[in-house]
Amino acid sequence: MNNIRLSVSMNANGTPVYSVAYKNKTIVSPSQLGFSLADDTNFHSGFEVIGSEMSSFDQTWQPIWGEVKNIRNHYKQVIIHLKQKNGNHRLLDIVFRVFEDGVGFRYVFPKQPNLKYFVVTDELTQFNLISDNQTFWIPGDYDSNEYPYTISRISEIDNASMVAKSTAIAVRIAPDTKAVQTPLMMKTPDGVYINIHEAALLNYSAMQLHVENSNYHLTASLVPDAYGNKAYLHAPSHTPWRTIIISDKATDILASKMILNLNEPSKTSNTSWIRPMKFVGVWWEMQTGKGSWNYSDYPDSLGKDGKLIPNGKHSANTTNVKKYIDFAAASHIKGVLVEGWNRGWEDWFGNWKENVFDFVTPYPDYDVKEIVRYAKSKGVSMIMHNETSGSATNYERQLDTAYRFMNRFGFPAVKTGYVGKIIPRGEHHDGQWMVNHYERVAEKALEHHVMIDMHEPMRPTGVQRTYPNWMANEAARGNEYNAFTDEGNMPEHETILPFTRLMGGPMDYTPGIFKLKGYAEYAPERQLHSTLAKQLALYVTLYSPIQMAADLPENYLAKPDAFQFIKDVAVDWDDTKILEAEPGEYITMARKEKGKSNWFLGAITNANGRSTDISLQFLDPGKKYIATIYADAVDADYRIKPEAYQITKKAVTVGSTIHLILANGGGAAVSFIPVK
Ligand code: NOJ
Ligand code: CA
């Protein structure tokens, strides 16, 4: 097949070794495979090959929602059957799949007499690179992925100097100063793009990568449990897929469907209740300090008379929620998220208390019945919020009750959250125990026909193919950092995310901030490092089947002409064209709305302005379109004049070209609506 070549062999010690070449150039030099186990530790050498099978596969499938209508799953597969010559004669299979855009492989532990329940103390998989590639990395923290990216050579990777930058998690554990998280995006000195990640992370812990600065060798480093073990398994079973996506075009990396293809098909065919949507939320006003999640300011919640004493700032009150419902209805936005509606927020953060929330008891000023009645009368759906404050066991105990509550009141979706240390045992957010927890939650939600959006989980690995109700995750540094830190997210951040975090699945980034300066009550000088037009472009460049319009209704009502793009933009697509891309620099994409002829384009840049001519060859032939171009104004600049935009309209066809000028830290968004 194609440009990718995989070689597999056994070295002199009986250790399996693989290497990968692209267009006849080595990308991964011979790299070892195997494990250490808790008892009888050596599960990496002394093997012999006892058989192998080759096959090929070519099938096209339709995702329930997604970036494209049809996905081709086309690969050649080889399974290598191994047996240890001595001792317990244990068996290990390794399955390799070679696609047109990369390689995936995983370990399979066949059923056998001498391997039943076993503990993995280390996975020893190597990715021996051969050049000092440019990398886009975040440190190997076991509990948080909410970091800004560092761009450096492999030889320069060192996270020792990094202070805890992910403030939403009260704990930072990254004992290995040379570990980075995946997806790890790289570019070789001769211009080949490489992305290393994993697919189908289930019942295992997340893989991070330990980096050897001197020889560019990377080694799997699994997130441990509270006792330092890496995984508890039972044969027959298998690991997730290790993925290496390779191309000399950056756009191919973003277009790759390899990770989705390595996941199992949907667990259900009953999916009519799974509906991509846009939503607004009682959210940014708390993030920016105008309102509060908590109803009362008393840590123990109660005044002398045993009643909660209101602080007068509680945002999730019936009157305020109705304003958001009215706004959503008037804007044809389907969902309204409300955070801070349930008791417990007085004392939820960093206190290591187990039973802070029960997920069904509203504050006295939040009338659930009335709110859902009102929303229904306006054709709006309410989105539930379950913040667990890291108490995952408490959430598991409450799962049935919480999801029955959603069913009873007709909440079609829930946003969950895992802020803080995972209690009681101190498991890590990215360890096997939590990976299994997130799956149990997705499964429970599936059973109850609830769509799910997880905040602070491990980063995704394409499992949304299997659980199509698992719409999105945060799992990276979202727009919220612009609310609670001055540093926020710098302009290159959103040009890196699609090459890293979003390789595994949709992100709830919460774009669409219109008031770009002076929004934080407690820090009036704070500003977003973005222009307004760029905030619009993110609806196209940061894919998610659920997209928040994150700003306050009043800030949208002040700029109805720009808000029109958010009203119009789709969230589910028949086609996606990655038109231009360079990680850390710029991305331009166009997407076609599901079941319609409308197209939407987003173009974003880093701190440097740029201009580009985009040929509209992607439009439907034979149709005339009105292009509405939401661009940075001539004097726009993310530091000085972030809110300056201009809107122009133009008749275009498939033969047209549009010229876009992006300000420093800017962007452009374009809607193409066919003329009737
Ligand atoms: C962090 C989440 O990312 C944010 O969206 C949410 O508002 C807070 N936790 C509170 O749950
Ligand atoms: Ca977060």
Side-chain angles (χ1 to χ4, degrees):
M1 198 180 277
N2 64 52
N3 296 317
I4 309 272
R5 270 189 75 87
L6 166 80
S7 313
V8 185
S9 60
M10 301 295 284
N11 72 13
N13 299 327
T15 298
V17 166
Y18 78 100
S19 58
V20 181
Y22 174 76
K23 292 193 175 171
N24 298 318
K25 278 192 229 152
T26 301
I27 297 293
V28 180
S29 65
S31 297
Q32 301 189 7
L33 299 163
F35 298 89
S36 301
L37 305 184
D39 57 339
D40 193 5
T41 55
N42 174 7
F43 204 33
H44 51 85
S45 67
F47 282 106
E48 61 183 344
V49 178
I50 55 167
S52 66
E53 289 148 50
M54 293 262 280
S55 60
S56 59
F57 189 83
D58 191 358
Q59 223 171 58
T60 297
W61 58 281
Q62 284 78 37
I64 284 139
W65 42 261
E67 296 176 90
V68 293
K69 191 177 182 179
N70 295 305
I71 296 178
R72 185 175 179 199
N73 187 8
H74 183 205
Y75 60 80
K76 270 196 185 149
Q77 173 171 290
V78 58
I79 307 179
I80 318 270
H81 301 286
L82 302 170
K83 184 177 184 174
Q84 275 182 318
K85 281 182 268 190
N86 300 316
N88 284 321
H89 302 289
R90 287 176 305 196
L91 306 171
L92 178 65
D93 291 350
I94 308 176
V95 184
F96 293 90
R97 287 185 185 170
V98 179
F99 295 80
E100 262 145 67
D101 51 358
V103 175
F105 62 89
R106 76 173 173 195
Y107 301 92
V108 176
F109 309 101
K111 192 170 154 61
Q112 53 192 299
N114 293 324
L115 193 72
K116 289 206 168 92
Y117 288 97
F118 61 103
V119 179
V120 174
T121 46
D122 269 310
E123 181 184 318
L124 306 171
T125 307
Q126 297 179 331
F127 303 87
N128 293 338
L129 305 171
I130 60 151
S131 48
D132 198 5
N133 305 335
Q134 186 186 41
T135 52
F136 300 81
W137 60 272
I138 57 173
D141 188 323
Y142 300 154
D143 282 283
S144 179
N145 30 45
E146 299 185 352
Y147 283 92
Y149 290 90
T150 301
I151 308 176
S152 80
R153 299 269 152 209
I154 296 180
S155 58
E156 295 157 352
I157 289 176
D158 186 342
N159 66 55
S161 60
M162 285 192 120
V163 290
K165 284 189 168 168
S166 81
T167 51
I169 303 286
V171 34
R172 174 177 186 257
I173 301 174
D176 180 358
T177 58
K178 302 289 180 186
V180 296
Q181 299 193 41
T182 72
L184 182 66
M185 186 64 213
M186 289 174 279
K187 186 181 185 183
T188 67
D190 50 2
V192 178
Y193 300 85
I194 307 170
N195 186 282
I196 300 183
H197 189 38
E198 60 181 317
L201 170 56
L202 294 167
N203 192 30
Y204 203 72
S205 50
M207 179 183 71
Q208 305 190 341
L209 296 169
H210 170 83
V211 176
E212 230 28 272
N213 295 129
S214 56
N215 59 7
Y216 328 129
H217 289 184
L218 314 179
T219 311
S221 167
L222 300 179
V223 173
D225 76 345
Y227 310 104
N229 290 323
K230 306 296 170 60
Y232 299 81
L233 298 178
H234 177 218
S237 62
H238 53 72
T239 67
W241 295 91
R242 278 64 190 93
T243 61
I244 310 169
I245 301 173
I246 308 164
S247 177
D248 51 13
K249 291 195 203 75
T251 50
D252 286 349
I253 303 287
L254 298 183
S256 174
K257 296 287 169 275
M258 197 179 104
I259 289 173
L260 270 181
N261 278 328
L262 287 168
N263 276 272
E264 294 302 314
S266 173
K267 287 219 161 192
T268 178
S269 54
N270 171 3
T271 56
S272 57
W273 52 277
I274 299 173
R275 299 233 175 95
M277 65 169 153
K278 286 173 275 187
F279 65 103
V280 294
V282 179
W283 181 73
W284 190 243
E285 60 177 271
M286 289 94 90
Q287 291 285 351
T288 54
K290 288 186 183 64
S292 70
W293 281 271
N294 45 308
Y295 171 87
S296 160
D297 279 341
Y298 291 85
D300 59 358
S301 308
L302 301 175
K304 286 195 191 86
D305 58 356
K307 285 206 179 114
L308 291 168
I309 301 173
N311 65 6
K313 281 185 77 178
H314 182 231
S315 291
N317 66 74
T318 307
T319 315
N320 193 36
V321 172
K322 283 188 175 177
K323 273 204 306 217
Y324 280 79
I325 295 172
D326 289 340
F327 176 71
S331 316
H332 304 290
I333 286 180
K334 187 81 202 155
V336 175
L337 165 78
V338 181
E339 295 195 6
W341 68 277
N342 59 328
R343 277 181 76 151
W345 290 90
E346 280 68 30
D347 193 17
W348 72 287
F349 180 73
N351 289 310
W352 319 136
K353 285 209 296 199
E354 263 231 84
N355 302 331
V356 175
F357 297 113
D358 70 6
F359 314 100
V360 292
T361 308
Y363 279 126
D365 59 346
Y366 184 86
D367 185 342
V368 188
K369 248 195 198 153
E370 172 56 14
I371 284 165
V372 294
R373 183 204 64 78
Y374 190 74
K376 202 168 169 207
S377 77
K378 301 254 169 173
V380 167
S381 296
M382 297 306 297
I383 300 176
M384 174 53 69
H385 185 233
N386 287 173
E387 171 58 60
T388 67
S389 65
S391 184
T393 37
N394 178 51
Y395 193 43
E396 289 197 10
R397 284 192 289 269
Q398 317 281 342
L399 274 183
D400 271 307
T401 317
Y403 286 81
R404 273 201 297 265
F405 184 86
M406 293 174 214
N407 285 163
R408 177 169 152 223
F409 289 104
F411 287 78
V414 59
K415 170 180 170 180
T416 58
Y418 295 90
V419 172
K421 191 176 152 87
I422 302 298
I423 52 176
R425 218 169 35 172
E427 293 298 344
H428 296 300
H429 283 74
D430 291 0
Q432 184 188 18
W433 194 89
M434 282 302 287
V435 167
N436 285 338
H437 167 82
Y438 306 128
E439 190 187 3
R440 282 194 283 274
V441 171
E443 196 133 39
K444 185 60 67 181
L446 187 71
E447 196 182 303
H448 285 268
H449 288 195
V450 171
M451 294 176 275
I452 189 149
D453 169 19
M454 290 191 195
H455 278 231
E456 297 89 38
M458 83 289 186
R459 76 282 185 273
T461 58
V463 175
Q464 66 275 13
R465 179 179 176 192
T466 311
Y467 291 99
N469 63 317
W470 196 339
M471 311 299 280
N473 295 283
E474 183 190 41
R477 194 175 171 96
N479 229 350
E480 63 179 11
Y481 277 77
N482 293 307
F484 52 69
T485 65
D486 279 335
E487 184 198 20
N489 299 337
M490 293 311 281
E492 71 277 8
H493 187 62
E494 296 99 343
T495 71
I496 300 171
L497 281 173
F499 286 98
T500 51
R501 158 66 184 78
L502 279 91
M503 291 300 292
M507 175 169 181
D508 184 21
Y509 185 75
T510 70
I513 302 302
F514 274 21
K515 186 168 185 195
L516 294 158
K517 257 187 181 177
Y519 47 81
E521 289 283 295
Y522 39 81
E525 292 303 308
R526 189 164 293 164
Q527 68 173 92
L528 252 81
H529 310 287
S530 167
T531 65
L532 190 143
K534 183 176 184 178
Q535 288 294 306
L536 296 178
L538 296 179
Y539 287 88
V540 182
T541 61
L542 287 175
Y543 170 64
S544 180
I546 52 154
Q547 283 284 27
M548 188 173 199
D551 209 339
L552 310 177
E554 68 222 50
N555 295 334
Y556 290 135
L557 292 169
K559 297 185 174 77
D561 55 348
F563 185 57
Q564 189 62 41
F565 183 81
I566 298 181
K567 283 176 150 175
D568 290 341
V569 71
V571 282
D572 198 10
W573 310 100
D574 271 341
D575 203 2
T576 289
K577 304 281 184 207
I578 317 292
L579 301 171
E580 318 170 290
E582 183 63 30
E585 295 189 19
Y586 55 83
I587 293 176
T588 308
M589 291 187 196
R591 302 193 197 264
K592 186 183 190 190
E593 183 168 356
K594 180 133 252 158
K596 302 226 171 111
S597 296
N598 302 337
W599 282 83
F600 297 87
L601 177 145
I604 61 167
T605 184
N606 61 7
N608 304 319
R610 70 188 294 263
S611 65
T612 178
D613 288 305
I614 302 292
S615 146
L616 305 182
Q617 293 160 36
F618 53 83
L619 293 177
D620 295 6
K623 286 210 163 71
K624 261 203 196 130
Y625 287 85
I626 296 296
T628 307
I629 305 169
Y630 302 77
D632 293 321
V634 267
D635 55 347
D637 181 298
Y638 78 97
R639 288 156 303 196
I640 305 149
K641 249 187 143 182
E643 287 175 21
Y645 64 92
Q646 57 189 6
I647 301 173
T648 50
K649 282 186 194 283
K650 213 174 151 182
V652 296
T653 66
V654 69
S656 313
T657 298
I658 50 169
H659 183 64
L660 300 174
I661 303 174
L662 282 56
N664 298 331
V670 188
S671 64
F672 300 92
I673 315 288
V675 181
K676 295 264 155 62

